[in-house]
Amino acid sequence: MRKYLASAEFGMRTLPLFPSDTGNVMTNYVGSCLCGAVTFEIEAEFESFYLCHCKYCQKDTGSAFAANLFCQTGKLIWCSGEDNISSFTLAGSQHQKSFCKDCGTALPNNHPSGILVVPAGCLDTDVAVIPTAHIFMSSKASWESNVVNIIKLEGLPE
């Protein structure tokens, strides 16, 4: 069965969530929230890695886009802090977010569609998968257009 991304914000325009066989192998990943209350392990073969620029992802990340990994057969194990996890589903949409109640870090969730969604930034293990695509570019943040041309610093400005 082929699964698709769809957004109520953009009607039923869809794209394949798992575009093709990636050739990845099952890998063990570890992750945590910013405050350390929630820790987890994942065994997964991430089949896609989308950078989503939709308005929903901009709102829930406070940034230009969300960076989420997707897999159909991954296994998520909460090691600590499971009682610290809260979830939010936006009414009338497929948009769902799990997060730490204390620090707000976005955390993995098993979407009702059966897909494991993992925010890339909450992983402590390096991810070798490169992003599959930028999606919902029609709603990207207006200030995002020229960020490749700005100064790049290794840390805070002096």
Side-chain angles (χ1 to χ4, degrees):
M1 181 171 96
R2 191 121 193 215
K3 299 202 183 221
Y4 292 87
L5 281 176
S7 169
E9 180 181 8
F10 298 101
M12 290 310 293
R13 188 173 83 197
T14 59
L15 70 137
L17 184 55
F18 306 106
S20 63
D21 180 20
T22 60
N24 295 335
V25 295
M26 290 295 242
T27 303
N28 292 318
Y29 298 90
V30 296
S32 61
C33 66
L34 186 60
C35 70
V38 179
T39 61
F40 59 90
E41 295 178 3
I42 293 176
E43 183 178 327
E45 174 186 343
F46 292 121
E47 292 126 338
S48 56
F49 183 1
Y50 287 111
L51 306 178
C52 184
H53 299 258
C54 81
K55 295 294 182 189
Y56 300 156
C57 286
Q58 288 178 42
K59 287 279 186 187
D60 78 22
T61 64
S63 188
F65 57 85
N68 289 314
L69 296 145
F70 298 85
C71 69
Q72 301 175 82
T73 59
K75 182 179 178 185
L76 170 62
I77 301 162
W78 298 110
C79 300
S80 67
E82 191 170 2
D83 57 334
N84 241 38
I85 301 167
S86 188
S87 292
F88 171 77
T89 301
L90 184 62
S93 78
Q94 296 181 30
H95 191 83
Q96 182 177 18
K97 179 180 182 176
S98 293
F99 54 94
C100 173
K101 291 181 201 177
D102 289 340
C103 66
T105 298
L107 296 167
N109 70 72
N110 286 302
H111 193 271
S113 65
I115 298 167
L116 176 62
V117 180
V118 181
C122 70
L123 292 174
D124 299 323
T125 309
D126 285 339
V127 177
V129 179
I130 60 169
T132 307
H134 287 273
I135 59 175
F136 295 112
M137 292 300 291
S138 61
S139 59
K140 73 178 184 177
S142 60
W143 49 267
E144 187 182 357
S145 294
N146 291 315
V147 295
V148 296
N149 299 323
I150 61 175
I151 297 170
K152 295 165 182 65
L153 305 171
E154 295 297 319
L156 287 174
E158 294 180 10

